[in-house]
Amino acid sequence: MRVPVDWLREYVAVPADATGVQIAADLVKVGLEEEGLHTSGVTGPLVVGRVLTKEPEPQKNGKTINWCSLDVGDANGTGEPQWVVCGAHNFEPGDLVVVILPGGSVSTPQGPMVVTARKTYGHISSGMITSERELGIGEDHSGIIVLSRFFADRPEVLTGLAPGQDAIPLLGLDRETVEVNVTPDRGYCFSIRGIAREYSHATGAAYTDPVLALADRAPAANEQGYAVQLADDAPIRGREGCDRYVARIVRGVDVHAPSPAWMKARLTEAGMRPISLPVDVTNYVMLGLGQPLHAFDLAKLVGPIVVRRARPGERMTTLDDVDRALDPSDLLITDSESQRALAIAGVMGGADTEISDTTTDVLIEAAHFDPVSIARSARRHKLPSEASRRFERGVDPQLAAAAAQLAVELLVEHGGGVVDDGVTDVGSPVPAPDIDLDLSLPSRLVGVDYPSERVVEILREIGCGVEVSGEHARVTPPSWRPDLRTEPDLAEEVARIDGYEKIPSVVPTVPVGNGLTHDQRMRRLVANLLAAQGFSEVWNAPFVGDDRHVALGYDAAAARARTVRIANPLSDEAPLMRISILSTLVDSLRRNISRGFKDVALFEQGLVLALEGKQTAAPTEDVGVRPSPQTMAAIHAAVPPQPRHLGFVLAGEIDRSGVWGAGRPADVADAIATALGITEALGLTARTVADDAMPFHPGRCARVELADGTVVGHVGELHPKVLTALGLPARVVAGELDLDALSAASGRPAQAVTLSTFPVATTDVALVVDESVKAADIEAALRTGAGEMLESVRLFDIYRGDQTGAGKKSLAYRLSFRAPDRTLTTEEVSGIRDRAVAAAGQAVGAVQR
């Protein structure tokens, strides 16, 4: 929320010398975090100038420019006329305009732009006559600012203006705007009214609620008002979608009348774009008071307004010209005769009844809508409007009449017209229930001694009604605080207003034990291991689209059958939950490579969703109500398995080149070593077996198996087609492991074995097998045949040639043997070796060379 300081001063007595920095610091005291401090970005010299001459000069490109001389007083240091080239034509000699002289700067989307004397159209233009958009005080760029028209509604400003006068304070470009972060439970702070109240709490400054005077001026409802019916036949959670609707009519409005300069300036400073008088008035009231409004063209309405839920198959075109399919839970503003949908209540209006150039009669809507209904519609249609942001956080239900009164007053004052005598105010909001508060509770919860008198004082200060009875009080929350529902809510308010800085910092007692579960220790160990090897950890949002499955070479039908579709995705391009860490990890790799980092090693730990069967919807319950055991069971049953996976990728050089010599590119062996290093660090025995699984190259892919045959992942070089589809360089290697499976296998403590002090005996054996036989199968057979005396097996050579024959290969292994209680003899070693070779021959048809 952006808060112009000058606007804030209208509601609360901010000291004249208070700066934006001081105001932001004061708001932080009551929990409103500072987001930023904004100014116009315009620096001087920016002065008032009087046009002396205006000489039109047609150009070869068909454009006509004006060669102008300006009286800028002594601002240019000489008192001589200032000569400027100007492309606008909406001024004449004698007009007062705004001139930025060389050395001054304006703010642009690309950053500050310094104005200099430069040659253009055959002249040296020493400065620039400015428009509203160039100074950031409006969107008008059709012509330059002529002060007599700009301040037409404030003639007193024009009195005494002189050439050379500083225009920065004249146009309010020296004003500051404080931006604060409004948490979801503080919706009333989405207004100047709410921020002013909080500033008063923080500093004790006198606060004047603007709603009180407006409510006194607002006429009571009568039968002459525009007919409105509240017909919500499907309340959400038993709450009516609209429990109050105020309608006021202004006839004969000049919609072409310009919004006053002060209003446009405030809207711009608050981060909104001035559009037209009716729109600017509704936005101004919303920002000032916190009540969203909507303006209808009365001539386009047919019959009474009806607030109802959408019907199945109903559609409407919203103000952004998008034809939308409506959901039966959407709350609509309609008219009864034609049953048209005029607006999605509290979210966005419809195109049929928007204010246009021909509008003369305007109906102002000020309503109170159910926050849950508005939040769901806004998310369903991806329309996070300024109105929906306020309604979904809770708008003061007692505010509608006062807000409508301010809107009609501003329309009449600046757009002419007459206010109808008829006033519509239907519905009756249900007041928040009273809260029984133990006055000692804030002290017990916060750990600070709050006397009962101080508790009562603070609650009354924030607007609560308090009836004290001994050590208890009945508290009635103010209408603008829908977040106050329980005793702890009130205790939090006491702590906040009394001062967070008064709460002592107490170091918690360290619990017995290391505090980490086995899964947590395992994940931390894996992360530290990879980081020590030069990998960088990343995080990616777990959302993908079907195109990513196609790019990775997955079977489209099989992938779609396992994929969970998001009901309300953040992006239409990524509506699915990932089934693989690599499907999102490649985005980080591609981003790094595109920014010039060619040698990259990344890893990510995260959840994947593996849908089993048909996707089902989980039931929902009201917030604050513990679901029944049956509902909890249904919720858990609807959630698919979410195993935690580890993904890693390597691109470029694994050993960097430098003055020490040439580097070495990453290859499949590095991916295998990474996976086996992880299993070894977890105390597990694993092996890699040649495999063919996308997205890996069929000849450079291996699955990782534990000793019991459990498959825990795959590693290898990514398929060339995958690299092309993703825009990645050649020979990228990667891997993905199931951390949950590794955690389950490593949950038991490793059993230490006695180290043998007797010497090791080694022997080599070369085995000839068919080309299709996997090295892992040969190794497994050798281990089985050798028995317990075998300490290690290492493949150190592979030979293909004339000596092995066509379709054959020779694999040479080094076998190491050791006995725990003696030195093995040559005969014993030979016997064990022969049994191992025989087992390999029986298992895979191996023949010793």
Side-chain angles (χ1 to χ4, degrees), residues 27-28 45 71 169 200 216 246 250 302 331 419 435 481 552 602 623 631 689 709 731 733 753 788 846:
L27 292 175
V28 168
D71 177 7
S200 175
D216 289 340
V246 173
V250 182
V302 182
L331 188 70
V419 182
I435 305 171
R481 293 299 302 271
L552 291 173
L602 306 175
V623 176
T631 301
V689 182
R731 311 306 291 265
V733 296
V753 297
E788 296 180 354

Side-chain angles (χ1 to χ4, degrees), residues 512-558:
V512 177
N514 56 24
L516 297 178
T517 66
H518 170 69
D519 283 350
Q520 292 169 330
R521 292 196 302 272
M522 186 267 303
R523 294 199 298 269
R524 182 173 294 183
L525 173 64
V526 170
N528 290 339
L529 174 66
L530 292 175
Q533 293 180 355
F535 285 81
S536 297
E537 186 171 13
V538 297
W539 179 90
N540 291 283
F543 310 126
V544 296
D546 277 325
D547 58 334
R548 181 54 51 86
H549 296 152
V550 174
L552 291 173
Y554 295 152
D555 181 270

Side-chain angles (χ1 to χ4, degrees), residues 518-520 522 682 684 738-748:
H518 170 69
D519 283 350
Q520 292 169 330
M522 186 267 303
L682 296 175
L684 300 173
D738 187 337
L739 289 179
D740 285 354
L742 292 174
S743 176
S746 61
R748 297 175 297 276

Side-chain angles (χ1 to χ4, degrees), residues 490-501:
L490 299 177
E492 180 183 359
E493 286 299 290
V494 172
R496 185 173 70 89
I497 300 300
D498 192 67
Y500 288 136
E501 72 280 0

